[in-house]
Amino acid sequence: MRTQVGIVGAGPAGLFLAHLLHRSGIESIIIESRNRTDVEQTVRAGVLEHWVVELMKELGLGERMTREGHFHDGITLQWNRQRHHVDIAGLTGGKRVAVYPQHEVLKDLIAGRLAAGGPILFGVGGTTLRDLDTDHPAIDFRRDDTGVLETIHCDFVVGADGFHGPGRQAIPAAHRTEYQKIYPFGWLGILTKAPLSWPELIYANQGDGFALLSTRSPDVQRMYIQCDPAGDIAGWSDARIWDELQTRLGTDGWSLTQGPIVQKGIISLRSFVCEPMQYGRLFIAGDAAHIVPPTGAKGLNLAVADVLVLSRALDSHYKTNSRDLLDRYSATCLRRIWKAERFSWYMTTMLHRNAHESDFEQRIHFADLDLVRTSAASARSLAENYVGLPFD
Ligand code: DHB
């Protein structure tokens, strides 16, 4: 097989890239190790920054999102049983975010790609990237059904294959530096069949720590609580989960509306950045290059930002034969990434209880929260980051 851009991974980075390249008349092939059902059903976070909403619409992929997504003008912060509304739209000149989960975005992107006749090969194995420092890179893989070794010859390879994929590992260790922080807590996420309890997302630090109230539809709600990342989900009975959620989200005269819990799971939290994000004709994007803890829901948005930068650079290369923007891909992306890393770390440390931190540091986090309540500059900073920082 031969194409212009070989893309490893049909997650947000790979699929958005394929759509952006198609718009510029650049061909690509996507390969993906999971099958389509797994990709479309993995439960992930769900907030789209303002400009990602606009991009979905521009690409002709926004119809279902506009209909089924929940558009929010603000968020609620809560501590000491008090709530504080942050007027995100008012602080950012009218920008809003959409609560529209990642797997719904992926369904729309996959359907759009297949309808446009763009190839996605699901369920491939043994993916190997080679000849990346030559002008004829290639991707070897086996199709699940035949087991026969196949090769995609291309001009450029994009590793959009997540944290555990082969993309980042294909940059020789001597050519990359990795920065990491592991947090000593995880998130227990649930889906419950219950009506909305509050009209906007609530980020709370109360009782034993963090809780987040989010939504999926008028009758399915998404909630998270801080927990031990090594804990066993079996130790979390439904009664214990509701008890903790009521303690962390409760205010006087208000309680959370409960319902049957239909899904639950624990994730760990980490921050991670790989520098640089390119090597020869390989470019890595999304979780292959960086991870943020989920507080603030920056992961998908950052992945889309990477491939927007990359698509512009590839467009410029094919139109003008200049490698200038491609050579600057990593540096351009990393300026945005480190700011999103900072914001995700700020939201995470401010809103969680950390047994390894002193009482002094815990007090500082409450001061940070109170600063958002009392300082317009602090609230605006949070709001600007939350809706997505402008591109340089
Ligand atoms: C959701 C997840 C987040 O990490 C967040 O900050 C907001 C919402 C969610 O899954 O709905």
Side-chain angles (χ1 to χ4, degrees), residues 44-47 99 187 201 203 212 214-216 222 224 294-297 386:
R44 291 277 182 86
V47 178
V99 179
W187 276 17
L201 269 57
Y203 290 86
L212 168 59
S214 181
T215 185
R216 286 293 177 264
R222 180 84 169 138
Y224 302 93
T295 332
Y386 198 81

Side-chain angles (χ1 to χ4, degrees), residues 91-360:
L91 290 159
T92 58
K95 292 185 181 157
R96 301 190 299 169
V97 297
V99 179
Y100 187 63
Q102 172 163 326
H103 64 275
E104 301 298 346
V105 174
L106 294 182
K107 280 186 207 165
D108 297 342
L109 265 60
I110 291 169
R113 166 93 179 152
L114 297 176
I120 310 176
L121 309 178
F122 287 102
V124 309
T127 301
T128 313
L129 316 183
R130 65 176 160 87
D131 302 330
L132 300 168
D133 53 355
T134 71
D135 60 2
H136 51 271
I139 308 171
D140 296 323
F141 64 97
R142 286 177 202 280
R143 286 210 205 202
D144 212 16
D145 42 357
T146 62
V148 176
L149 184 69
E150 302 202 37
T151 299
I152 300 173
H153 298 279
C154 42
D155 300 335
F156 299 99
V157 173
V158 178
D161 50 350
F163 187 68
H164 299 288
R168 183 178 66 258
Q169 306 300 335
I171 302 178
H175 288 260
R176 67 182 139 93
T177 308
E178 298 182 346
Y179 302 86
Q180 172 156 265
K181 176 175 175 66
I182 307 274
Y183 299 85
F185 36 78
W187 276 17
L188 189 164
I190 64 157
L191 281 174
T192 178
K193 283 213 162 94
L196 269 181
S197 287
W198 186 253
E200 56 191 23
L201 269 57
I202 303 178
Y203 290 86
N205 180 353
Q206 185 170 293
D208 284 338
F210 176 77
L212 168 59
L213 179 72
S214 181
T215 185
R216 286 293 177 264
S217 69
D219 40 34
V220 177
Q221 311 311 320
R222 180 84 169 138
M223 302 175 200
Y224 302 93
I225 30 182
Q226 174 182 347
C227 67
D228 177 354
D232 185 354
I233 191 76
W236 285 93
S237 65
D238 290 6
R240 181 178 173 208
I241 292 172
W242 285 120
D243 230 36
E244 278 302 329
L245 282 165
Q246 295 288 7
T247 306
R248 297 185 199 185
L249 290 166
T251 58
D252 298 339
W254 181 95
S255 66
L256 196 55
T257 310
Q258 299 183 189
I261 295 178
V262 292
Q263 201 260 344
K264 55 182 169 183
I266 292 178
I267 57 160
S268 57
L269 271 61
R270 79 165 84 207
S271 300
F272 174 89
V273 180
C274 170
E275 293 187 0
M277 295 162 60
Q278 62 197 94
Y279 172 72
R281 287 182 168 244
L282 168 71
F283 298 87
I284 60 173
D287 283 4
H290 43 77
I291 299 287
V292 286
T295 332
K298 288 285 160 241
L300 175 147
N301 298 290
L302 264 190
V304 186
D306 290 349
V307 297
L308 184 60
V309 172
L310 185 54
S311 69
R312 288 176 180 160
L314 287 165
D315 183 62
S316 154
H317 171 74
Y318 282 110
K319 289 210 170 103
T320 66
N321 205 25
S322 154
R323 270 203 68 139
D324 189 39
L325 291 183
L326 278 175
D327 289 342
R328 282 192 277 139
Y329 165 73
S330 183
T332 305
C333 288
L334 284 163
R335 283 198 297 275
R336 184 182 185 83
I337 289 161
W338 277 110
K339 283 173 211 134
E341 291 285 347
R342 185 210 68 86
F343 179 67
S344 305
W345 165 87
Y346 156 81
M347 290 287 278
T348 300
T349 50
M350 177 169 75
L351 286 161
H352 289 71
R353 290 293 157 89
N354 183 342
H356 302 285
E357 280 186 348
S358 64
D359 291 345
F360 176 87

